[in-house]
Amino acid sequence: MPPFEVPEGDPFGPHNLPYGVFSRAGSPERTVGVRLGDHVLDAGAAARALGSPYAGLLAQPSLNPLLAAGRTAWTDVRRALTEWVTVPSHREAVAPFLHPLPSVTLHLPFEVADYVDFYSSENHARNVGRIFRPDAADSLTPNWKHLPIGYHGRSGTVVVSDTDVVRPSGQRKAPTDPAPVFGPSVRLDIEAEVGFVVGVPSRMGQPVALGDFREHVFGLCLLNDWSARDIQAWEYVPLGPFLGKSFATSVSAWITPLDALEHARVAPPERTHPPLPYLDDSAAEPGGYDLRISVAINGHVVSEPPFSTMYWTAAQQLAHLTVNGASLRTGDLYGSGTVSGPAERERGSLLELTWNGRDPLELPDGKRTFLEDGDVVTLSAWAPGADGARVGLGEVTGRIVSG
Ligand code: CA
């Protein structure tokens, strides 16, 4: 079968066309690729062969030049790519630049600038509150319904899917321990999230308005915010997450452009507290995305978190993270926060799925509270497309190795 003929129902058909960066066997050269079914199109080489004006944006070792080019260019490039893989008269010219996915190596698709992680699932925040503050009158902190809580993470340890994750060591101290001890984390966890990739920068001192989200954000990916709960619990007061999170954050190799997700836009949950004007999206276009996430440990699905349940939207998160005048850079990445739905099997962390280890998961290879060395965690997702089609998100997977 020619590579253009993507099977009916393939979530990576020409309606999707996510972007990545790849190299071919025997060559160190990295270049932008676009996924079509189980092939990758060398987008820059195809653009050159077709005399496209976008060759300069696509024949690049990272997505950053395309990210910086802005909304009009993103839409034009996507339109051109769609033509190249769907219009029969282009096939002969484009075919030499389609490579089977197993024959290429996928790389981190963009140079990560700043990395921010939010905490925007009400179900997740309430679960964490119930676990760690069982005596509190409200499982949410007083600020939660008024602003999207976040923290700055470590961009230099963002890694692409398939990168092994070394079990971190650090200090931990249970409340009953007389003194802290040092050693490998014994409560290593996942956080199933969606990451948003900023393309167009903003000027320092100038907040980005809620309505300008799509002018700045290029697309999204799946993100696993690996978390060492024991290190985190001992270090986080009063300044928040530090070494319990900064050892690794995994992202999928494919960045799905927002333009591929038009049919997945949904209204966020009802706002129970009126947001301040800069966060008020009551009159805005639907800011949520209907992404159906799946979490698997060693191939066994343990949870299916629904992204549509997120209380704060990506547009609100962007407005909030710039409201003080902090500027955006091309390649900024911000995580949604752990995605947890209302049902038990919709929780996006082992902390919640096992209720802090109280209720172990039963896997085919034994019980799990937190991750063991050798465990492979895979997040995958799809979104509704036009006419019943599915838009696949690139999976993010990682294996735990001993430190
Ligand atoms: Ca997180």
Side-chain angles (χ1 to χ4, degrees):
M1 182 185 290
F4 293 101
E5 306 298 332
V6 176
E8 182 79 20
D10 190 308
F12 293 97
H15 61 299
N16 188 343
L17 302 181
Y19 295 85
V21 165
F22 73 100
S23 59
R24 298 176 66 193
S27 168
E29 190 185 347
R30 300 182 181 195
T31 194
V32 170
V34 174
R35 181 167 173 179
L36 179 67
D38 54 5
H39 283 69
V40 55
L41 174 69
D42 184 334
R48 279 205 194 104
L50 290 164
S52 163
Y54 307 117
L57 285 181
L58 296 171
Q60 296 282 349
S62 90
L63 289 177
N64 284 52
L66 177 62
L67 296 179
R71 168 60 51 196
T72 302
W74 302 338
T75 302
D76 290 349
V77 168
R78 178 170 167 81
R79 187 181 300 126
L81 286 162
T82 305
E83 278 186 27
W84 301 346
V85 300
T86 55
V87 176
S89 59
H90 289 314
R91 290 191 173 189
E92 195 175 337
V94 170
F97 307 113
L98 278 164
H99 307 289
L101 271 175
S103 74
V104 306
T105 301
L106 298 171
H107 303 280
L108 189 63
F110 62 103
E111 295 159 28
V112 184
D114 293 301
Y115 167 47
V116 165
D117 194 26
F118 284 96
Y119 187 61
S120 290
S121 159
E122 181 172 354
N123 298 298
H124 172 71
R126 286 197 182 279
N127 286 337
V128 171
R130 289 185 188 114
I131 290 169
F132 290 117
R133 299 183 302 278
D135 300 325
D138 189 344
S139 54
L140 292 181
T141 51
N143 55 357
W144 202 93
K145 285 286 178 86
H146 298 282
L147 54 82
I149 294 172
Y151 69 95
H152 281 94
R154 191 166 190 84
S155 52
T157 51
V158 175
V159 296
V160 71
S161 178
D162 257 337
T163 304
D164 284 350
V165 173
V166 177
R167 180 180 297 274
S169 287
Q171 287 195 28
R172 63 174 183 271
K173 179 189 171 303
T176 51
D177 291 342
V181 296
F182 181 88
S185 170
V186 295
R187 301 170 80 80
L188 185 54
D189 198 356
I190 60 159
E191 291 192 341
E193 304 195 18
V194 173
F196 290 83
V197 180
V198 172
V200 174
S202 66
R203 289 169 66 104
M204 199 166 161
Q206 294 190 351
V208 174
L210 196 66
D212 290 337
F213 165 71
R214 294 168 62 78
E215 300 305 312
H216 289 274
V217 172
F218 173 79
L220 55 78
C221 60
L222 288 172
L223 183 151
N224 188 344
D225 176 25
W226 306 95
S227 300
R229 300 297 180 198
D230 40 5
I231 297 172
Q232 184 184 352
W234 172 230
E235 74 177 1
Y236 87 104
V237 177
L239 290 185
F242 186 35
L243 302 179
K245 300 273 195 179
S246 63
F247 55 94
T249 306
S250 297
V251 294
S252 46
W254 300 106
I255 308 300
T256 305
L258 295 183
D259 284 342
L261 295 166
E262 277 303 293
H263 294 272
R265 295 173 70 177
V266 291
E270 188 184 349
R271 276 64 177 85
T272 51
H273 295 56
L276 285 166
Y278 78 94
L279 292 172
D280 185 358
D281 63 351
S282 55
E285 295 179 315
Y289 283 95
D290 181 6
L291 312 176
R292 323 282 177 91
I293 303 170
S294 183
V295 181
I297 299 177
N298 302 332
H300 182 75
V301 174
V302 297
S303 179
E304 294 181 310
F307 191 73
S308 60
T309 60
M310 298 299 280
Y311 188 86
W312 296 106
T313 69
Q316 289 172 317
Q317 291 170 336
L318 190 74
H320 186 63
L321 84 84
T322 60
V323 75
N324 64 348
S327 50
L328 298 173
R329 295 193 288 172
T330 297
D332 280 1
L333 170 69
Y334 62 100
S336 60
T338 309
V339 184
S340 291
E344 285 189 18
R345 295 279 290 188
E346 294 177 341
R347 295 168 177 168
S349 68
L350 289 171
L351 173 73
E352 296 161 271
L353 285 164
T354 71
W355 213 251
N356 202 19
R358 185 193 70 188
D359 307 323
L361 288 178
E362 300 278 355
L363 300 186
D365 58 349
K367 290 187 177 184
R368 280 300 179 293
T369 49
F370 292 93
L371 296 172
E372 297 182 0
D373 290 348
D375 279 350
V376 175
V377 180
T378 303
L379 311 182
S380 54
W382 62 273
D387 303 322
R390 290 185 174 196
V391 179
L393 270 59
E395 67 176 30
V396 58
T397 191
R399 183 171 60 112
I400 305 301
V401 298
S402 62

